[in-house]
Amino acid sequence: MPLLLVDLDNTLVDRDAAFRAASVEFLTTHGLPTVDVDWIMRVDASGYRPRAVVAQALRERYASLDAGSVQAFIDRGAADFVTLPEATRFALRHAVTAGWTPVVVTNGSVTQQEAKLRISGLASEVAGWVISEGVGVKKPSRAIFDAAAASVGARLEDGGWVIGDAPQADIAGAVGVGLPSVWLHLGRTWPSELPFQPTHVADHLPAALDHILTVTRS
Ligand SMILES: [Mg+2]
């Protein structure tokens, strides 16, 4: 059963849209100006800025707010607002029917990422998942991809594809383990300074799966 090693944030779910919704709720709940949502999104940098740095920026901007409220928002992140697009659910089921084994490979905290998997309904659509905090190693390290394969009783040598939106985590990881990859461009151009490239570039997850199923059909 070939593996589909799939990133979670901004690949399977629109994490940035969910974080924006969570930010609006945070601002509204605490009587803060909702126009600040754009400032929060910039500080957050699609989740790539360390959470402690984001928390510090929020505490400084909203000095009158208690630290617990800021931390609760940071800890929960986008989790309560993630949804699984129907087209993505359909594409995953189609891939499973065609004999593929989807496993989520994500960098992040166990509490937050498992909440996303559960709340979006992804937990019952994939064969398994590995979260960097849980296995003590992050993408692009080979070890997290090995752990993903092992979580479903497979080995990377048995073949598979990697899908993700992050050049340095997902695509570098694929290159490191010798698997082909699909990069979701999300409106960006591939960073030409990188010494590696994805096998294929796609608009969104269903298009990525469609490509993989087409080129591997024998
Ligand atoms: Mg991602």
Side-chain angles (χ1 to χ4, degrees):
M1 298 285 263
L3 295 165
L4 291 169
L5 301 165
V6 192
D7 171 51
L8 177 61
D9 288 325
N10 293 328
T11 294
L12 282 163
V13 297
D14 188 343
R15 181 267 174 200
D16 286 354
F19 188 73
R20 175 174 281 273
S23 299
V24 169
E25 185 194 61
F26 166 76
L27 292 165
T28 307
T29 300
H30 298 291
L32 300 166
T34 51
V35 291
D36 273 15
V37 68
D38 291 323
W39 174 80
I40 294 178
M41 295 305 289
R42 281 197 302 278
V43 171
D44 169 62
S46 289
Y48 287 110
R49 190 155 285 133
R51 295 301 87 183
V53 175
V54 178
Q56 179 63 25
L58 288 166
R59 281 195 299 270
E60 283 172 12
R61 190 174 181 98
Y62 309 119
S64 62
L65 212 57
D66 65 292
S69 299
V70 169
Q71 199 55 48
F73 167 60
I74 292 293
D75 289 345
R76 203 65 192 163
D80 294 325
F81 292 89
V82 288
T83 57
L84 181 62
E86 269 310 304
T88 299
R89 188 192 309 274
F90 182 83
L92 279 173
R93 289 183 180 178
H94 183 60
V96 169
T97 303
W100 292 82
T101 303
V103 182
V104 176
V105 188
T106 176
N107 286 350
S109 82
V110 170
T111 305
Q112 194 175 117
Q113 300 308 74
E114 286 196 338
K116 288 176 188 166
L117 289 161
R118 200 174 52 250
I119 289 167
S120 68
L122 263 171
S124 54
E125 303 290 342
V126 296
W129 58 81
V130 285
I131 301 166
S132 62
E133 185 188 62
V135 292
V137 61
K138 291 180 181 179
K139 293 181 286 186
S141 169
R142 181 186 178 96
I144 193 168
F145 293 97
D146 278 329
S151 77
V152 293
R155 299 178 321 144
L156 295 178
E157 291 72 19
D158 300 332
W161 282 68
V162 176
I163 308 171
D165 69 295
Q168 301 280 16
D170 303 311
I171 308 307
V175 171
V177 299
L179 290 178
S181 61
V182 180
W183 179 56
L184 303 189
H185 63 77
L186 309 182
R188 302 160 298 166
T189 53
W190 179 258
S192 56
E193 69 276 13
L194 293 179
F196 56 87
Q197 291 205 325
T199 312
H200 183 73
V201 179
D203 290 341
H204 43 66
L205 188 86
L209 291 179
D210 189 51
H211 173 80
I212 293 169
L213 267 63
T214 300
V215 299
T216 56
R217 193 171 290 142
S218 53

